[in-house]
Amino acid sequence: LKYKDGTSLFYNPDTHTYVVNNKVVPSVTGICGNGVPKPELVNWLVYTPLNEFKKLIKDRLVNNLSIDDVELARIQKIASSKTNAIKEDAGLIGSTVHELIESFLKGKPTIKPSDPKVSNCWHLFLNWWNKSKYKVVDLEKKLYSKKWDYAGTLDLVVKDEKNNLVLIDIKTSKFISFDYALQLNAYKVAYEEETKQKIRKALIVRLPKDASEIEFRNIPLTKDLFKSFVGAKFIWQETKRFKNGS
């Protein structure tokens, strides 16, 4: 992507990094993922392997199987890798759902998903979208804020019945966390800076993987929330400098 002033924006999908004029710049998701406390995620990271460890031990005890040092080491290895396995699978599901939605909204053919979790998200989206009266304005748009030096990719900008621009973020996570609000405020600022068009509303649409109810959350677009995003950006950058000893 090249801007009129000669600025170039490149996204590397292998490293999930944005490069502007040959320099890596912070990403919206990177800032929110590393600069914002997530107590729910911390609890999940702690208790998921513990619960898996307990389950594996209990299974062996119920079946009268012995546990020696080797077996205990195996159980520990399996339990400690549980969170990564879940995160990787969740990431695959999220990416697949986003690809389906992007193809559908671009009018491209889509392959009917067979995975039950992907299928659930997909059908929830279709049922909602086909009843909505939104018109797509921008889809999977890459953005760079020259003023604040960050980049990212928004999911969707649409027009509602009153011709207001609405920023929509599609999530397949288990819950809507605070950092999502910062993400949308960051996209809003970068989008308005680049296009000179005003975003009037922001909406998170959460597509659960294993439930029948879709979740919607209107996100406030405020100066304070954007300041919080900028604060998270500085926290992440300074944390990295501190770790690098600079």
Side-chain angles (χ1 to χ4, degrees):
L1 177 61
K2 201 143 194 173
Y3 294 91
K4 290 181 180 179
D5 65 357
T7 300
S8 63
L9 171 62
F10 170 74
Y11 175 68
N12 186 332
D14 296 326
T15 58
H16 302 287
T17 53
Y18 292 87
V19 180
V20 175
N21 296 338
N22 299 316
K23 184 187 90 172
V24 175
V25 299
S27 70
V28 172
T29 52
I31 291 165
C32 293
N34 294 280
V36 181
K38 296 184 181 67
E40 303 95 339
L41 180 59
V42 171
N43 288 337
W44 180 79
L45 289 171
V46 170
Y47 287 106
T48 298
L50 287 176
N51 290 335
E52 183 68 11
F53 190 85
K54 178 182 176 181
K55 174 182 170 294
L56 293 170
I57 293 287
K58 187 176 180 179
D59 286 347
R60 294 197 68 82
L61 293 175
V62 167
N63 290 288
N64 294 317
L65 298 172
S66 62
I67 302 175
D68 59 14
D69 287 345
V70 173
E71 187 61 27
L72 193 60
R74 289 192 184 111
I75 290 172
Q76 182 183 22
K77 184 177 181 180
I78 293 169
S80 62
S81 65
K82 184 69 174 180
T83 50
N84 282 338
I86 293 173
K87 283 194 291 184
E88 285 177 12
D89 188 61
L92 286 172
I93 291 168
S95 297
T96 303
V97 171
H98 275 81
E99 288 169 6
L100 281 168
I101 291 171
E102 183 180 3
S103 295
F104 171 76
L105 294 179
K106 286 182 175 179
K108 296 180 179 178
T110 57
I111 299 172
K112 184 179 178 181
S114 57
D115 181 274
K117 292 181 179 180
V118 173
S119 182
N120 193 68
C121 294
W122 177 231
H123 285 104
L124 286 173
F125 171 79
L126 287 178
N127 290 337
W128 163 68
W129 181 262
N130 290 332
K131 292 174 186 175
S132 77
K133 297 182 180 179
Y134 290 133
K135 294 181 179 178
V136 176
V137 175
D138 276 303
L139 180 63
E140 294 293 328
K141 182 175 176 61
K142 289 177 174 51
L143 299 165
Y144 171 61
S145 170
K146 298 171 190 173
K147 181 177 180 179
W148 297 100
D149 192 36
Y150 65 84
T153 304
L154 60 77
D155 284 349
L156 187 60
V157 175
V158 299
K159 275 188 179 179
D160 64 14
E161 293 178 280
K162 296 180 180 179
N163 275 335
N164 292 314
L165 288 182
V166 182
L167 174 62
I168 297 177
D169 203 23
I170 308 292
K171 299 294 185 186
T172 57
S173 53
K174 282 188 173 292
F175 50 82
I176 295 173
S177 57
F178 171 69
D179 59 298
Y180 294 166
L182 303 192
Q183 280 185 34
L184 284 169
N185 275 267
Y187 292 142
K188 180 250 188 194
V189 168
Y191 186 85
E192 291 181 349
E193 179 186 324
E194 182 175 315
T195 67
K196 312 305 179 190
Q197 297 184 73
K198 185 74 174 175
I199 298 285
R200 297 294 178 184
K201 300 176 185 177
L203 176 69
I204 289 177
V205 178
R206 189 180 76 85
L207 308 171
K209 304 179 188 75
D210 50 10
S212 58
E213 291 288 328
I214 194 169
E215 183 180 1
F216 302 98
R217 179 78 65 88
N218 289 306
I219 300 299
L221 298 172
T222 67
K223 290 181 180 179
D224 285 342
L225 281 172
F226 182 69
K227 286 178 184 176
S228 298
F229 170 78
V230 174
K233 177 175 180 282
F234 283 116
I235 287 171
W236 184 32
Q237 288 176 322
E238 293 308 311
T239 300
K240 288 197 295 183
R241 288 194 185 99
F242 182 80
K243 286 180 177 178
N244 293 332
S246 58

